[in-house]
C-alpha cells in the first residue's frame, strides 16, 4: 500500500468515532429530508385530490350589484369550464356568551342540487332543504368553538 | 555547464503593497558553487528564509533573476517550479514536518514513491543512522531523530541541492550536532550542494562558505580554508 493510502487509512481509523458521528448526523439529515419531501408530496396530492373532488375554483372574482346574466357572459369566455355565482355578505353576529359581537361571512349555496364549484364537505348533519328558509351550513370550526350543536329536525 | 549550483542577479522580493509593503530582498547577488556546504547567517528579518524559498522554488521573486545550474528559476511557471522542486531539491525545515500517522520509513517512502531515481527508504534512514528506528512513529522519536528522518526524506530522492531552514533551531547542542553530522555526511558523500540558513553562528565553522545577510542584502561572504567537523563544535 502506498504511504499516502496508508496515512488515509490510519487517519480514518483514528477518527472512527468522529466519522461515525458525522455519518449518523448525515444519515439523520438525509432521513429528515426524505420524510419532509414525502410529507410535502403527500400533502400536495391530498390538496389536489380535495380540490378535484370538491371542484375547487381556479379563479375568484367579486362584483357588487351586477345582473345575473353577467355570469352567462363570463361562462362564454374561452377556456372557462364552469361558472357559478354566489351571494356573499359580511355580517356582525350577536352571539350569546360573547362580550363583543362576532364577524361572520354569509355565503349562499345553490338552490338546486349540489354546488358545481367549491362544493362543501359535510362533516355532520345534512344540507339545507329548499323548502326550509331557516337552515344554514356552518363552517366546522365555529360551532365547536362556540359550543353549538345540531338542531333537531 | 556552469560550476555554480545557484546564481542570482539583483534579486528582490516585496511582500504586500503600498504603505504596508515589506521589502525582504533588496537586490541580492550571489554565486553558490556546486557541491559546497554554505551557511547563510543573519538576524531575523534579514531575508534568509525568503532567499532560500526563492532558491528552492517555493516562492517567486518580485524582480531580478535566479538560476539553478542552467535553469532560470525566475522564468519558470508554477508547473516548472513544481517539477524543479520534485526533481532537484530536498528541503529540511526547523520543525521537521513529518506526517504523524506514518512511521519513519513510511515518511521517507512518501518521497521515494514519486521520485524518478530514489534510494530505498531503508537505505536513506541507514545514511542518517536511524535503521533501528525505522518502524517508530514521529511521536516515539526525539527531536534530533525526527530531524534526521526529515533529512533522510530529503536525501532519499538523491537531490542535487539540499536546502535547510534552521535545521538545528529546535534542538539542543548535542542533538543539533548529530543533525549537522548527517548533513555534512550527505554533502561529502553525494556532493549535494547544501545551503543552511541559521541563527547559529557555530555552523559557519563547519561550512565551506558563509554568507551574512542584513536588511535584504548579502553584506559579507567568507570562504573557510578549513572546515571543522560537526563533532568539534558546540553551542
Amino acid at each position: 500500500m502506498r504511504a499516502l493510502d496508508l496515512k488515509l487509512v490510519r487517519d480514518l481509523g483514528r477518527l472512527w468515532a468522529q466519522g461515525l458521528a458525522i455519518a449518523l448526523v448525515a444519515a439523520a439529515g438525509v432521513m429528515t429530508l426524505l420524510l419532509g419531501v414525502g410529507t410535502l408530496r403527500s400533502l400536495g396530492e391530498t390538496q389536489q385530490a380535495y380540490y378535484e373532488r370538491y371542484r375547487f375554483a381556479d379563479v375568484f372574482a367579486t362584483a357588487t350589484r351586477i345582473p345575473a346574466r353577467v355570469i352567462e357572459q363570463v361562462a362564454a369566455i374561452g377556456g372557462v369550464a364552469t361558472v357559478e355565482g354566489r351571494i356573499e355578505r359580511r355580517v356582525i353576529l350577536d352571539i350569546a356568551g360573547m362580550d363583543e359581537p362576532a364577524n361572520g361571512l354569509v355565503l349562499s349555496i345553490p338552490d338546486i342540487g349540489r354546488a358545481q364549484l367549491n362544493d362543501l364537505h359535510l362533516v355532520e348533519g345534512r344540507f339545507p332543504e329548499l323548502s326550509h328558509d331557516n337552515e344554514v351550513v356552518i363552517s366546522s370550526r365555529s360551532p365547536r368553538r362556540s359550543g353549538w350543536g345540531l338542531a333537531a329536525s | 555547464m556552469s560550476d555554480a549550483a545557484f546564481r542570482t542577479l539583483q534579486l528582490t522580493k516585496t511582500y504586500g503593497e503600498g504603505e504596508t509593503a515589506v521589502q525582504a530582498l533588496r537586490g541580492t547577488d550571489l554565486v553558490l558553487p556546486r557541491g559546497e556546504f554554505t551557511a547563510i547567517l543573519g538576524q531575523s528579518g534579514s531575508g534568509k528564509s525568503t532567499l532560500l524559498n526563492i532558491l528552492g522554488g517555493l516562492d517567486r521573486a518580485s524582480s531580478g533573476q535566479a538560476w539553478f545550474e542552467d535553469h532560470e528559476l525566475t522564468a519558470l511557471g508554477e508547473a516548472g517550479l513544481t517539477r524543479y522542486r520534485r526533481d532537484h531539491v530536498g528541503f529540511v525545515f526547523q520543525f521537521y514536518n513529518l506526517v504523524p500517522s506514518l512511521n519513519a520509513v513510511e515518511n521517507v517512502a512518501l518521497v521515494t514513491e514519486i521520485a524518478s531515481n530514489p534510494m530505498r527508504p531503508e537505505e536513506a534512514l541507514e545514511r542518517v543512522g536511524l535503521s533501528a528506528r525505522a518502524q517508530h512513529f514521529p511521536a516515539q522519536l526525539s527531536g534530533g531523530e525526527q530531524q534526521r528522518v526529515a533529512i533522510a526524506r530529503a536525501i532519499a530522492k538523491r537531490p542535487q541541492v539540499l536546502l535547510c531552514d534552521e535545521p538545528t533551531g529546535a534542538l539542543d547542542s548535542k542533538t543539533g550536532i548529530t543533525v549537522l553530522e548527517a548533513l555534512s555526511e550527505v554533502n561529502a558523500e553525494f556532493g549535494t550542494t547544501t545551503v543552511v540558513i541559521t541563527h547559529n553562528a557555530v555552523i559557519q565553522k563547519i561550512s565551506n562558505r558563509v554568507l551574512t545577510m542584513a536588511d535584504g542584502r548579502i553584506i559579507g561572504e567568507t570562504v573557510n580554508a578549513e572546515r571543522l567537523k560537526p563533532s568539534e563544535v558546540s553551542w
Side-chain angles (χ1 to χ4, degrees):
Chain A
M1 190 185 283
R2 290 167 63 92
L4 271 181
D5 298 332
L6 209 55
K7 175 185 182 304
L8 178 67
V9 170
R10 283 189 191 147
D11 289 349
L12 285 177
R14 190 172 299 167
L15 297 171
W16 72 268
Q18 289 95 322
L20 181 64
I22 291 167
L24 286 175
V25 169
V30 170
M31 207 181 298
T32 305
L33 179 70
L34 290 176
L35 281 172
V37 169
T39 305
L40 184 67
R41 190 172 295 170
S42 170
L43 283 172
E45 286 171 359
T46 305
Q47 182 195 43
Q48 282 305 315
Y50 178 80
Y51 284 177
E52 281 174 25
R53 190 172 305 155
Y54 292 93
R55 300 174 298 284
F56 196 68
D58 293 312
V59 177
F60 293 80
T62 306
T64 306
R65 292 179 185 280
I66 60 164
R69 67 173 179 278
V70 173
I71 294 172
E72 293 167 17
Q73 291 172 352
V74 173
I77 297 172
V80 175
T82 308
V83 180
E84 191 170 64
R86 299 278 183 93
I87 297 168
E88 173 189 310
R89 187 82 180 178
R90 290 202 167 272
V91 295
I92 294 175
L93 301 170
D94 192 9
I95 298 172
M98 287 183 67
D99 294 337
E100 294 181 3
N103 286 311
L105 179 67
V106 178
L107 277 172
S108 68
I109 52 176
D111 51 6
I112 301 172
R114 300 286 295 274
Q116 294 180 67
L117 293 174
N118 304 332
D119 197 6
L120 296 176
H121 171 67
L122 202 61
V123 177
E124 208 174 350
R126 60 171 174 75
F127 281 102
E129 291 180 358
L130 188 60
S131 56
H132 299 174
D133 61 0
N134 61 346
E135 292 179 349
V136 293
V137 177
I138 300 175
S139 174
S140 65
R141 280 182 298 178
S142 304
R144 283 179 195 161
R145 200 179 293 160
S146 309
W148 297 348
L150 290 172
S153 55
Chain B
M1 188 184 285
S2 163
D3 281 340
F6 287 111
R7 286 180 294 134
T8 68
L9 188 63
Q10 286 300 297
L11 205 59
T12 73
K13 176 66 182 180
T14 305
Y15 294 104
E17 291 178 352
E19 291 180 2
T20 57
V22 175
Q23 199 160 10
L25 293 180
R26 300 169 186 265
T28 304
D29 297 319
L30 66 77
V31 177
L32 298 180
R34 192 180 304 141
E36 280 197 354
F37 191 112
T38 301
I40 303 179
L41 302 175
Q43 300 291 319
S44 293
S46 60
K48 307 185 302 291
S49 292
T50 301
L51 177 61
L52 196 81
N53 288 343
I54 293 172
L55 294 180
L58 290 173
D59 204 352
R60 307 175 77 91
S62 301
S63 68
Q65 290 170 291
W67 289 268
F68 165 69
E69 296 186 342
D70 293 328
H71 308 290
E72 187 183 347
L73 301 178
T74 40
L76 293 177
E78 281 302 322
L81 286 175
T82 301
R83 211 162 29 245
Y84 159 67
R85 289 194 301 267
R86 192 178 59 203
D87 294 341
H88 302 289
V89 188
F91 288 99
V92 177
F93 300 99
Q94 181 176 359
F95 293 108
Y96 331 130
N97 293 352
L98 299 179
V99 177
S101 54
L102 297 179
N103 64 29
V105 74
E106 289 160 353
N107 263 283
V108 179
L110 277 175
V111 169
T112 59
E113 284 172 1
I114 58 169
S116 55
N117 180 32
M119 62 180 79
R120 289 183 303 107
E122 293 80 4
E123 184 186 345
L125 286 172
E126 192 182 331
R127 299 275 177 190
V128 296
L130 279 180
S131 294
R133 311 284 274 168
Q135 301 303 320
H136 287 68
F137 287 87
Q140 299 168 315
L141 299 170
S142 69
E145 287 171 334
Q146 287 187 56
Q147 191 61 296
R148 279 149 68 197
V149 174
I151 293 170
R153 185 178 59 183
I155 64 168
K157 61 180 175 183
R158 304 180 200 276
Q160 285 148 288
V161 293
L162 194 56
L163 304 180
C164 312
D165 191 348
E166 298 277 7
T168 61
L171 305 174
D172 59 64
S173 172
K174 188 180 171 191
T175 313
I177 286 165
T178 63
V179 168
L180 292 177
E181 281 175 337
L183 290 175
S184 294
E185 283 166 18
V186 168
N187 170 248
E189 193 170 340
F190 298 111
T192 308
T193 304
T194 305
V195 182
V196 177
I197 64 173
T198 182
H199 282 101
N200 188 345
V202 169
I203 293 180
Q204 65 187 303
K205 295 176 184 169
I206 67 165
S207 306
N208 296 110
R209 186 177 301 265
V210 180
L211 304 178
T212 307
M213 291 191 71
D215 201 23
R217 294 187 181 87
I218 293 171
I219 58 167
E221 179 171 357
T222 56
V223 177
N224 288 334
E226 287 187 21
R227 294 169 62 188
L228 295 181
K229 293 177 183 171
S231 58
E232 295 172 323
V233 300
S234 66
W235 59 89

